[in-house]
């Protein structure tokens, strides 16, 4: 969603103006900047007084009082100030003179950037910009307003109550199915082994973000308002998508909240579509993309940093400028200080909710910034080391022609640099503004200069000491003898116990070295598919790729009753076998040990089962429950996991064997 800034205009007090200025004011014809639009009264407002909303040509929305709204409504480019005063007097119920209107135009509306000067430009250039740290800057249009409105009209039926209930219910059922089936962790492991698939997952996540913005636009159109452009900008320092839905302020509270939730609702639809596609194709990376989309939903619902949760909370309590009321809320909590008008003017429920939000968010943000500042040197060292490692990986991967892996490493560098740069920017801007505010306070109250300087110096010394930049004093240095007193400081003497001779014992014969548990390396691997007698079965179960299971992934379509046989080179006793299967669970696997590698059914009785597990997937460790020796280790599948509609397939990516084996003599 697009971020908006607000200003609240209030007219108060009597104004005495000379007669000649009153006559001149009556003849003045004020004009609004083209594009200024009034939304009318703010529905569901949390303010005690009636509030009206006006959008300036930049798309920002400002709050004005009823009196200012009446003045704005009277400006049409033809009426003089005297005519406007007469109209406002009739509608306001109290006398509003031409001088009052002139004062409101120059001191209230012009600073908001709503009035046009003689050349048609805004009379106040500073009013149209939001200089907040968390404002979205450098906006660029991706989809123009006309295209967005057509997309919104196309997706508008998705907000039908029946469709919403069906979509959310289906998503809940699919999530339960994914979690109970233990498909999430294996999917991520699978994607991390394949850089190209990781790029695919990240691309789907970006596509979900764009679809998120379509959700805001469709919800805005469903409520009866007109969405604006979909674009991209810089949020602090990160690129971010946005949708201009300021026209949603025309809607009531329910319509605005629907617009706020439209983005995460479309994320839910996107995740459901990915799950259905996985059911149809068995494409494992889609599960990892589903997890990333859910993480995006959780992030957007946070009521901080102007995510969707922030706008949801603001529209629920009817206070659209929460960040601008943080300082007034904190100031109003100081004992003996009068309540700030921006807090006192809120309804009780809105004031309580705003205060609770401030009490949660301010300490949380302050604690996060404090942790960053306290650990800045160690974080900088970690960042530098990680950056060097990633840069070396990029060079090596592109040098070997591994384009997909190189692109993933480049993306890792970007994801490493952007958060660090963003945090640095926030800290610098926050520190600069805090210092500027402190200087302003000291100028108004010179008595605070000395305490402020002392506290600042103490904090700086403590911080430098915490960072370890101050020289350390050797606390173990021995004190010197004083010349006035002839006292001497001596180290306490250490008494060493005498070493007594041990009685001699008769020599024992050298013990036979015990066999220790260690990692065993197979000498070869072969597909094992004994469906018939030797000669009648081709035994072609990807033998050329079976050797690759020892260090890199391979793919093979295995039938029921197939497996992988490993030649250990000598008879061994297994302790454990760790196998990295495909990410989809559902395989029933047994670990067999034997001395016959004949690829035929007659060889199976010669093997002894030492471990077994059902429904496995991902990385699984089989612990040997029986003591059996053999030269050959057989990973035997009796049931295969699904791989799409009507398809079953097992995959083995890595095998690690631990056990005991006699030493090999040269």
């Amino acid at each position: 969603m697009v971020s908006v800034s607000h200003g609240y205009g209030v007219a108060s007090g009597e104004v005495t103006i000379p007669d000649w200025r009153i006559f001149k004011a009556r003849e003045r014809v004020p004009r609004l900047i083209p594009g200024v639009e009034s939304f009318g009264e703010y529905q569901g407002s949390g303010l005690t007084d009636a509030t009206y909303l006006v959008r300036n040509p930049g798309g920002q929305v400002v709050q004005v009082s009823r009196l200012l709204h009446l003045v704005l409504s009277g400006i049409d480019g033809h009426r003089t100030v005297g005519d406007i005063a007469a109209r406002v007097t009739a509608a306001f119920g109290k006398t509003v003179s031409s001088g009052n209107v002139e004062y409101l135009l120059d001191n209230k509306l012009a600073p908001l950037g709503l009035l046009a000067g003689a050349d048609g430009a805004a009379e106040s250039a500073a009013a149209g910009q939001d200089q907040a740290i968390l404002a979205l800057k450098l906006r660029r249009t991706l989809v123009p307003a006309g295209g967005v409105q057509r997309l919104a009209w196309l997706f508008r039926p998705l907000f039908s109550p029946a469709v919403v209930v069906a979509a959310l219910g289906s998503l809940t059922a699919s999530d339960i199915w994914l979690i109970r089936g233990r498909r999430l962790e294996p999917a991520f492991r699978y994607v991390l082994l394949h850089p190209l698939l990781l790029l695919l997952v990240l691309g789907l996540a970006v596509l979900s973000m764009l679809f998120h913005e379509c959700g805001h636009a469709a919800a805005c159109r469903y409520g009866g308002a007109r969405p604006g452009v979909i674009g991209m900008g810089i949020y602090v320092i990160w690129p971010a998508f946005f949708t201009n839905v300021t026209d949603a302020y025309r809607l009531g509270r329910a319509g605005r909240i629907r617009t706020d939730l439209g983005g995460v609702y479309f994320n839910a639809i996107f995740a459901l579509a990915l799950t259905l596609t996985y059911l149809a194709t068995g494409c494992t990376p889609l599960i990892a993309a589903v997890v990333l989309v859910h993480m995006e939903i959780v992030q957007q619902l946070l009521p901080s940093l102007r995510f969707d949760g922030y706008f949801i909370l603001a529209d629920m309590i009817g206070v659209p400028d929460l960040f601008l009321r943080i300082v007034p809320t904190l100031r109003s909590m100081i004992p003996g200080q009068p309540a700030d008008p921006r807090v006192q003017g809120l309804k009780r429920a809105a004031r309580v909710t705003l205060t609770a939000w401030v009490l949660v968010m301010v300490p949380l943000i302050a604690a996060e910034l404090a942790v960053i500042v306290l650990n800045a040197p160690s974080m900088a060292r970690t960042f530098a080391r990680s950056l060097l490692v990633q840069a070396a990986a990029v060079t090596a991967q592109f040098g070997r022609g591994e384009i997909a892996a190189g692109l993933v490493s480049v993306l890792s560098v970007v994801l490493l640099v952007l958060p660090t740069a963003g945090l640095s920017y926030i800290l610098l801007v926050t520190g600069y503004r805090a210092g500027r505010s402190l200087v302003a306070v000291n100028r108004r109250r010179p008595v605070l200069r000395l305490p402020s300087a002392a506290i600042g110096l103490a904090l700086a010394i403590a911080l430098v000491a915490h960072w370890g930049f101050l020289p350390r004093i050797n606390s173990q240095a021995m004190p010197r003898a004083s010349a006035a007193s002839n006292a001497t400081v001596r180290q306490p003497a250490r008494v060493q116990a005498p070493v007594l001779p041990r009685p001699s014992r008769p020599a024992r014969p050298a013990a036979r070295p015990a066999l220790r548990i260690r990692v065993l390396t197979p000498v070869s691997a072969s597909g094992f598919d004994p469906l018939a007698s030797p000669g009648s079965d081709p035994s072609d179960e990807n033998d050329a790729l079976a050797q690759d299971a020892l260090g890199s992934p391979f793919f093979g379509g295995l039938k029921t009753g197939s497996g992988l046989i490993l030649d250990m080179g000598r008879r061994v006793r297994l302790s454990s076998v760790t196998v990295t299967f495909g990410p989809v669970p559902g395989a029933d696997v047994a670990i067999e040990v034997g001395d016959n590698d004949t690829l035929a059914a007659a060889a199976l009785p010669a093997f002894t089962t030492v471990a077994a597990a059902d429904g496995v997937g991902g990385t699984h460790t089989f612990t040997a429950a029986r003591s059996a020796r053999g030269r050959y280790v057989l990973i035997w599948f009796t049931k295969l996991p699904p791989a799409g509609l009507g398809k079953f397939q097992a995959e083995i990516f890595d095998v690690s064997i631990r056990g005991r084996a006699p030493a090999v003599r040269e």
Side-chain angles (χ1 to χ4, degrees):
M1 294 178 62
V2 65
S3 58
V4 296
S5 63
H6 308 276
Y8 190 65
V10 180
S12 60
E14 294 289 338
V15 183
T16 303
I17 303 177
D19 293 340
W20 64 272
R21 291 193 58 187
I22 294 176
F23 177 77
K24 184 177 180 180
R26 289 176 179 174
E27 300 301 322
R28 175 185 173 185
V29 179
R31 292 182 300 141
L32 297 176
I33 300 176
V36 172
E37 188 176 5
S38 176
F39 291 159
E41 186 174 357
Y42 182 39
Q43 302 296 322
S45 173
L47 302 172
T48 55
D49 298 330
T51 306
Y52 295 80
L53 301 178
V54 180
R55 179 169 59 188
N56 64 22
Q60 297 173 328
V61 176
V62 295
Q63 301 178 66
V64 297
S65 64
R66 180 170 177 262
L67 179 58
L68 288 178
H69 171 70
L70 293 174
V71 173
L72 281 171
S73 301
I75 300 176
D76 62 354
H78 302 285
R79 297 189 183 98
T80 64
V81 170
D83 297 334
I84 296 173
R87 289 175 58 88
V88 172
T89 298
F92 193 59
K94 296 181 180 179
T95 302
V96 179
S97 65
S98 300
N100 297 143
V101 172
E102 184 79 7
Y103 173 82
L104 295 175
L105 293 174
D106 295 336
N107 296 278
K108 298 297 182 181
L109 296 181
L112 295 177
L114 302 177
L115 297 182
D119 57 352
E123 290 188 359
S124 178
Q129 301 296 329
D130 185 358
Q131 300 298 329
I133 299 177
L134 300 178
L136 193 65
K137 303 177 178 65
L138 301 178
R139 304 178 186 180
R140 293 295 181 267
T141 298
L142 297 179
V143 183
V148 173
Q149 291 175 15
R150 285 189 289 272
L151 287 174
W153 179 85
L154 179 65
F155 292 128
R156 184 179 57 177
L158 293 176
F159 286 92
S160 173
V163 176
V164 172
V165 172
L168 296 182
S170 300
L171 178 67
T172 303
S174 65
D175 288 345
I176 294 174
W177 176 73
L178 290 174
I179 294 173
R180 294 186 62 181
R182 298 180 180 179
R183 293 172 172 83
L184 305 182
E185 182 180 356
F188 267 103
R189 290 179 180 271
Y190 181 76
V191 169
L192 292 176
L193 290 173
H194 302 77
L196 189 60
L197 296 181
L198 182 58
L199 292 176
L200 172 64
V201 170
L202 294 177
L204 290 174
V206 173
L207 187 61
S208 172
M209 296 176 188
L210 278 172
F211 196 60
H212 173 102
E213 302 303 331
C214 293
H216 289 307
C220 181
R221 180 69 181 269
Y222 182 84
R226 300 190 314 273
V229 302
I230 291 178
M232 189 174 184
I234 300 299
Y235 183 71
V236 182
I237 199 170
W238 300 280
F241 298 112
F242 71 90
T243 306
N244 191 334
V245 290
T246 53
D247 202 62
Y249 281 107
R250 298 179 183 275
L251 309 177
R253 179 179 297 172
R256 295 196 305 271
I257 295 177
R258 184 195 302 114
T259 303
D260 300 333
L261 289 170
V264 294
Y265 172 57
F266 268 41
N267 285 140
I269 294 176
F270 195 86
L272 179 60
L274 291 177
T275 305
L276 294 176
T277 306
Y278 166 74
L279 288 175
T281 63
C283 183
T284 301
L286 298 179
I287 302 300
V290 169
V291 177
L292 289 184
V293 173
H294 279 73
M295 293 173 62
E296 180 184 352
I297 292 175
V298 173
Q299 180 193 44
Q300 287 292 338
L301 290 177
L302 295 176
S304 60
L305 300 182
R306 289 189 176 177
F307 293 131
D308 289 349
Y310 168 85
F311 292 101
I312 293 170
L313 178 64
D315 285 326
M316 286 180 62
I317 66 177
V319 182
D321 49 0
L322 298 180
F323 277 113
L324 296 181
R325 298 178 190 268
I326 290 180
V327 175
T329 301
L330 294 175
R331 188 183 297 119
S332 300
M333 295 180 186
I334 301 176
Q337 290 289 333
D340 191 283
R342 286 172 288 183
V343 177
Q344 192 175 14
L346 298 177
K347 297 177 182 177
R348 185 177 184 276
R351 185 169 62 251
V352 171
T353 306
L354 174 65
T355 303
W357 179 77
V358 170
L359 291 177
V360 172
M361 293 307 304
V362 170
L364 183 61
I365 295 176
E368 291 177 351
L369 293 178
V371 169
I372 294 172
V373 171
L374 292 175
N375 297 280
S378 60
M379 293 176 64
R381 289 191 294 268
T382 303
F383 168 76
R385 287 195 296 266
S386 300
L387 187 61
L388 290 176
V389 170
Q390 294 296 335
V394 170
T395 304
Q397 288 162 350
F398 279 114
R400 295 193 298 265
E402 300 175 358
I403 304 301
L407 292 177
V408 171
S409 297
V410 170
L411 185 61
S412 300
V413 171
V414 174
L415 295 178
L416 182 66
V417 171
L418 284 183
T420 305
L423 289 175
S424 302
Y425 172 78
I426 291 175
L427 289 175
L428 290 175
V429 173
T430 303
Y432 170 75
R433 294 190 177 185
R436 189 175 60 180
S437 300
L438 184 62
V439 170
V441 170
N442 285 321
R443 286 178 178 176
R444 292 193 303 267
R445 299 182 179 181
V447 69
L448 297 177
R449 293 179 180 177
L450 183 60
S452 298
I455 294 175
L457 181 61
L459 289 177
I461 294 175
L463 185 60
V464 173
H466 175 77
W467 286 346
F469 293 159
L470 293 180
R472 296 182 178 180
I473 301 176
N474 188 5
S475 59
Q476 297 181 353
M478 296 304 302
R480 298 181 179 179
S482 172
S485 64
N486 295 325
T488 20
V489 180
R490 298 180 179 179
Q491 291 283 357
R494 295 181 179 180
V495 181
Q496 184 175 3
V499 179
L500 300 179
R502 296 182 179 179
S504 60
R505 295 181 180 179
R508 295 182 179 179
R512 188 175 182 178
L515 299 179
R516 296 183 179 180
I517 297 176
R518 56 193 177 91
V519 177
L520 305 177
T521 304
V523 296
S524 66
S526 302
F528 191 82
D529 186 17
L531 298 180
S533 60
S536 62
D537 179 32
S539 303
D540 185 10
E541 292 299 317
N542 294 311
D543 283 349
L545 298 177
Q547 186 68 31
D548 294 340
L550 304 181
S552 61
F554 77 94
F555 302 87
L558 303 178
K559 304 175 184 178
T560 302
S562 297
L564 180 73
I565 187 169
L566 307 173
D567 183 2
M568 307 305 298
R570 58 195 185 279
R571 300 185 80 241
V572 299
R573 178 181 296 171
L574 297 185
S575 174
S576 66
V577 178
T578 300
V579 184
T580 301
F581 300 100
V584 180
D588 294 350
V589 184
I591 304 298
E592 312 272 349
V593 176
D595 291 310
N596 193 342
D597 66 339
T598 303
L599 303 181
L604 287 176
F607 284 86
T608 302
T609 303
V610 297
D614 296 337
V616 298
T619 301
H620 186 85
T621 298
F622 299 86
T623 302
R626 299 183 59 182
S627 177
R629 292 178 179 270
R631 174 173 174 173
Y632 301 99
V633 176
L634 175 61
I635 303 174
W636 181 245
F637 291 90
T638 58
K639 179 184 176 183
L640 300 180
L645 293 177
K647 298 181 181 179
F648 298 90
Q649 178 176 304
E651 297 172 321
I652 297 178
F653 293 95
D654 189 44
V655 179
S656 176
I657 300 176
R658 297 180 63 85
R660 299 178 176 87
V664 179
R665 297 182 179 179
E666 299 293 340

